[in-house]
Amino acid sequence: AKHEVKVFNVYPHSYKDILRYRIPKNRKYYRDGYVFVKDGAEVCITEVQKLPGQKGNYFAFQKKHIISHFKQWIGKSGFVPEVIIAHVPSYAYTFIKELTDCLGQKIPVVGVLHKTDIESLSENKGLKHALSSQFTALYARSHGIWRKAEAYSLHNLRNQIIYSGIPLDIVGGARL
């Protein structure tokens, strides 16, 4: 079956580069996001300025910016996804509920764990509950990450690995 794929990319960018928004073109990008088509999939990138020392949690003003871009982008097409896949769910959990709520229906949310998530699990005691309650399923992007995630007893951690960024010849040509 053919699926329509859309990518909403939240790009956390260093606050030290904020002065580049003096240029009108760059202000428009920050205000409206950047939308393009790559390999047949529409992509919307929304930039969020990360404050010095800020870890994975987004502040209220940052979440508002993310949700506003998502509503604006998704509203233009009327697209309702069958599933939402969030890479680095230790960042996404701070806004994923608001994002799915604005779609108006219950949609499965899958998180793909990265090394950043494992590091955040050891630092943020409430993260395990957030990942367990807000994501339908969690997958790791490597066996090493999966083994470390397994130690946290996440009830929704699946055994399959979701490889990303690894050429197929390295994993024996296996298709997932």
Side-chain angles (χ1 to χ4, degrees):
K2 185 174 171 148
H3 298 279
E4 183 177 4
V5 175
K6 291 187 180 271
V7 177
F8 184 70
N9 183 1
V10 177
Y11 175 59
H13 193 77
S14 171
Y15 194 76
K16 68 181 179 181
D17 294 331
I18 194 79
L19 294 178
R20 68 191 172 107
Y21 293 118
R22 292 180 299 178
I23 301 168
K25 181 180 89 173
N26 290 347
R27 276 196 305 272
K28 180 182 181 330
Y29 165 69
Y30 183 74
R31 186 182 59 245
D32 299 335
Y34 183 65
V35 179
F36 59 96
V37 174
K38 179 71 174 169
D39 296 331
E42 185 177 84
V43 178
C44 176
I45 298 175
T46 185
E47 186 175 316
V48 176
Q49 299 298 312
K50 297 286 283 192
L51 302 175
Q54 183 179 1
K55 297 282 187 179
N57 291 351
Y58 287 113
F59 295 110
F61 75 94
Q62 293 167 320
K63 289 191 279 188
K64 182 178 176 184
H65 179 75
I66 292 166
I67 299 305
S68 171
H69 275 207
F70 181 76
K71 285 181 177 178
Q72 177 185 353
W73 175 63
I74 211 75
K76 287 180 182 176
S77 68
F79 177 74
V80 177
E82 295 172 37
V83 64
I84 293 175
I85 301 171
H87 283 259
V88 193
S90 61
Y91 278 35
Y93 87 93
T94 61
F95 61 83
I96 202 75
K97 182 172 179 354
E98 291 95 334
L99 192 131
T100 56
D101 285 351
C102 76
L103 292 169
Q105 34 186 299
K106 181 93 171 121
I107 296 170
V109 179
V110 173
V112 180
L113 299 169
H114 291 239
K115 182 180 176 193
T116 301
D117 301 304
I118 302 304
E119 293 166 353
S120 296
L121 276 164
S122 68
E123 298 169 1
N124 179 344
K125 300 303 176 205
L127 183 57
K128 177 182 172 182
H129 173 72
L131 294 179
S132 294
S133 64
Q134 294 187 33
F135 291 85
T136 310
L138 294 170
Y139 294 86
R141 65 180 298 227
S142 73
H143 288 285
I145 291 170
W146 183 86
R147 282 190 296 277
K148 290 176 181 175
E150 186 182 35
Y152 288 96
S153 301
L154 297 161
H155 74 84
N156 51 348
L157 180 64
R158 302 299 189 252
N159 289 327
Q160 298 90 350
I161 305 300
I162 304 292
Y163 294 103
S164 57
I166 301 172
L168 288 176
D169 60 329
I170 292 176
V171 292
R175 297 244 177 226
L176 301 174

